[in-house]
Amino acid sequence: MNAPVQSLKGLDLKTEIDRLRKQRNAVILAHYYQTPDIQDIADFVGDSLDLSAKAAATDADVIAFCGVRFMAEVAKILSPQKTVILPDMDAGCSLEDSCPPEQFAKFRAAHPDHIALTYINCSAAVKAHSDIIVTSSSAEKILAQLPMDQKIIFAPDKNLGAWFNRKTGRDMLLWPGACIVHEAFSETELLKLKAQYPDAPVAAHPECPAFILDHADEVGSTRAILDFALKSPAQTIIVATEPHIIHQMEKAAPHKRFIGAPGADGNCNCNMCPYMAMNTMEKLYVALRDMEPRIELDEATRLAAKKPLDRMLEMAGRTVGQGDVGRRG
Ligand code: 13P
Ligand code: SF4
């Protein structure tokens, strides 16, 4: 349950969050889709794979996870002895919603000769029914370790699955889920933008449909998109993913121009993730103050979900030692 955010007028939230972080021995992890104020106060900002590895390795007592619920659940699954708090427990994910665990279990049972390779954007219960978890930055490396004739169910993102089918020449059976944010980009508006900036490469997240990915110069996870934007010699880059990641780009390369790919109405507001936006500095402060809302999982589900997550970290070469998350002093 979320505690009501009472009037916090007059509080210097940055100072208070910093004070509580030290008092609680907490680490603040944030995804690139969080607002700039949250990204700037976090100890670490990353993509799903990096955040999972950090959550598994931290020696903090508390993980304040600024991202969506499934990400905070991963932190709890991997670090059960830690208290994991999420500023807003309603911060879900449309991909998670598109894959109810009971239906997924039935789908699996109907295809007993397939293994389930499941995108990390799903509930702990769906992870518990999976063989290997992947993120967009680890899927290719993990697929390369599986025999080509291995039958595979890929859930829940049909766009991501189709992208990896295309890239690897596989024929994975796709669950019909999609992300509402990445599905909102408009091909017509993107082509107009490309005509306006003919030298600007397009970097896109593989959750986008093929009609967007077909125009991309780089397709990758949020971290891969960030790396591409910084390394590219181009001075203007079109970014087809949730636009809050542009904050990191502008910080690292203030001389470049980064343009968010547009939605159907020609402006990119519809491409903001409404779930990520539920977390605010006020709610982060209240969560650290009250140590609520907390992620709690039943132990059987946690253990079953941990197996395919451990396989991901192992196959992605991301089994990390304790204590490698630097915290602010
Ligand atoms: P990344 O693993 O690329 O950070 O993706 C997370 C996500 O939810 C994209 O919508
Ligand atoms: Fe989920 Fe899409 Fe938001 Fe990512 S951007 S957290 S996939 S709803």
Side-chain angles (χ1 to χ4, degrees):
M1 276 286 289
N2 283 323
V5 180
Q6 306 94 327
S7 171
L8 302 173
K9 256 193 214 147
L11 269 189
D12 176 348
L13 288 173
K14 271 198 207 160
T15 308
E16 286 302 304
I17 289 170
D18 216 28
R19 181 180 64 76
L20 287 167
R21 161 181 25 216
K22 287 177 192 136
Q23 187 183 320
R24 305 283 191 206
N25 189 25
V27 66
I28 302 175
L29 302 182
H31 190 266
Y32 292 123
Y33 294 167
Q34 293 290 280
T35 48
D37 49 2
I38 293 181
Q39 290 190 36
D40 287 347
I41 206 159
D43 296 285
F44 178 79
V45 187
D47 74 358
S48 308
L49 181 64
D50 290 338
L51 290 169
S52 304
K54 293 292 180 194
T58 184
D59 59 5
D61 295 320
V62 175
I63 300 174
F65 207 107
C66 300
V68 290
R69 195 178 47 236
F70 79 79
M71 295 177 177
E73 272 183 4
V74 167
K76 186 68 185 176
I77 292 165
L78 296 173
S79 285
Q81 70 287 8
K82 319 252 180 253
T83 301
V84 179
I85 50 177
L86 176 66
D88 193 321
M89 204 44 109
D90 291 332
C93 169
S94 57
L95 274 170
E96 174 178 345
D97 293 345
S98 70
C99 193
E102 316 71 44
Q103 287 177 30
F104 183 65
K106 276 191 201 150
F107 188 69
R108 277 225 67 178
H111 300 93
D113 52 346
H114 287 60
I115 63 163
L117 198 69
T118 308
Y119 190 33
I120 199 164
N121 296 37
C122 64
S123 62
V126 166
K127 287 184 178 77
H129 288 299
S130 303
D131 295 296
I132 311 171
I133 300 301
V134 296
T135 62
S136 45
S137 55
S138 61
E140 207 175 340
K141 188 167 181 181
I142 289 170
L143 278 167
Q145 296 168 58
L146 301 173
M148 275 309 279
D149 59 358
Q150 173 67 61
K151 292 184 176 163
I152 301 172
I153 288 171
F154 188 89
D157 190 344
K158 63 177 183 189
N159 292 323
L160 189 72
W163 166 251
F164 284 115
N165 271 347
R166 251 165 93 178
K167 242 195 140 182
T168 64
R170 290 182 185 259
D171 185 22
M172 297 186 290
L173 193 55
L174 307 181
W175 181 271
C179 160
I180 49 166
V181 175
H182 289 85
E183 288 241 309
F185 291 114
S186 155
E187 183 179 21
T188 311
E189 295 299 327
L190 178 61
L191 289 175
K192 281 191 210 163
L193 200 59
K194 275 173 71 84
Q196 209 181 332
Y197 300 97
D199 297 328
V202 177
H205 197 280
E207 287 176 16
C208 293
F211 61 76
I212 296 293
L213 298 182
D214 285 345
H215 302 292
D217 300 275
E218 166 75 11
V219 177
S221 74
T222 48
R223 177 163 51 82
I225 290 174
L226 176 61
D227 289 349
F228 173 83
L230 300 184
K231 282 186 194 139
S232 167
Q235 290 304 299
T236 304
I237 290 130
I238 299 172
V239 179
T241 192
E242 215 274 0
H244 283 107
I245 193 174
I246 290 176
H247 177 60
Q248 292 295 327
M249 297 174 183
E250 288 174 341
K251 266 172 70 170
H255 56 287
K256 290 192 182 183
R257 181 165 188 198
F258 305 101
I259 307 176
D265 61 356
N267 93 40
C268 64
N269 279 350
C270 53
N271 302 121
M272 303 227 182
C273 176
Y275 305 101
M276 291 276 182
M278 288 178 181
N279 294 327
T280 61
M281 287 286 276
E282 287 78 6
K283 290 180 195 169
L284 173 58
Y285 162 75
V286 171
L288 279 165
R289 185 193 65 192
D290 300 351
M291 297 296 279
E292 292 282 353
R294 286 181 199 207
I295 300 285
E296 305 286 2
L297 294 166
D298 80 76
E299 189 58 5
T301 306
R302 189 191 71 78
L303 286 174
K306 188 172 182 296
K307 266 194 214 163
L309 272 168
D310 283 343
R311 283 201 80 189
M312 171 186 80
L313 291 172
E314 189 189 304
M315 292 176 87
R318 297 300 294 270
T319 319
V320 276
Q322 287 290 311
D324 75 344
V325 179
R327 262 166 296 140
R328 289 167 195 248

